[in-house]
Amino acid sequence: MKKSLDEHADRFSEQSAEYDEQQDSAAYRECADLVVRYADPRADDVVLDLGTGTGAIVLPLAERCEFVVGRDISEGMLSEARAKAADRAVENVEFAEGRFREPNVDRNIDVVTTNFAMHHLSDEEKAEAIGVIAALEPRRFVLGDVMFFGDPDPDETFYSPEVDDPATVGVLADAFTDAGFALTAVESVHDQVGVLVGERVPDGDEIEEEPR
């Protein structure tokens, strides 16, 4: 990680009021939409969204499932998310401080999502975080993020090299399978943005990968 968690938290709190405008790109919106679609929660599911930001994933999922838990390191971001939920009269959500490797949850979790957040971790830290997520025993894990499908174009980047540390798709796929997830979908939104979907496979069972 190129900055400490506290430094990232302070940076995002400072940006929280303008964050939605800063992220208003076609690739970001498409990635968020895919994360919501692949999460595909059941009506009685509890979903955990890590790096929840201002609620781009939590709020649409709250319409589809029993409860959504939003966790973020930035109090500024959490305040924006709470305000959005209140404005929309969304009550089946809970926002609080939480981290990839310390998600701070005391519920059984059925689905875990995260969007445009894990790339702040080093590759080793990403693998550790995915292992922590797997230990929650969700049925499904959906990761939308900055990731490299090829060589990054320095003139068109979705990240800041001085503070962010995106991984290749291969590194992320290995972390999924090492943690016990079967990789069932890989979606490329852009050469530097994509969505990976993992399903927890009970011993002796197999899950077919969806067509790409």
Side-chain angles (χ1 to χ4, degrees), residues 3 11 32 53 59 97 128 132 136 140 165-166 178 180 191 198 202 211:
K3 285 186 176 290
R11 182 167 67 94
L59 297 177
E97 192 272 342
E128 183 183 348
V132 170
L136 297 173
R140 181 175 302 119
D165 196 7
D178 288 347
D191 286 346

Side-chain angles (χ1 to χ4, degrees), residues 121-132:
L121 305 179
S122 69
D123 287 357
E124 182 178 347
E125 291 166 333
K126 291 183 188 74
E128 183 183 348
I130 293 170
V132 170

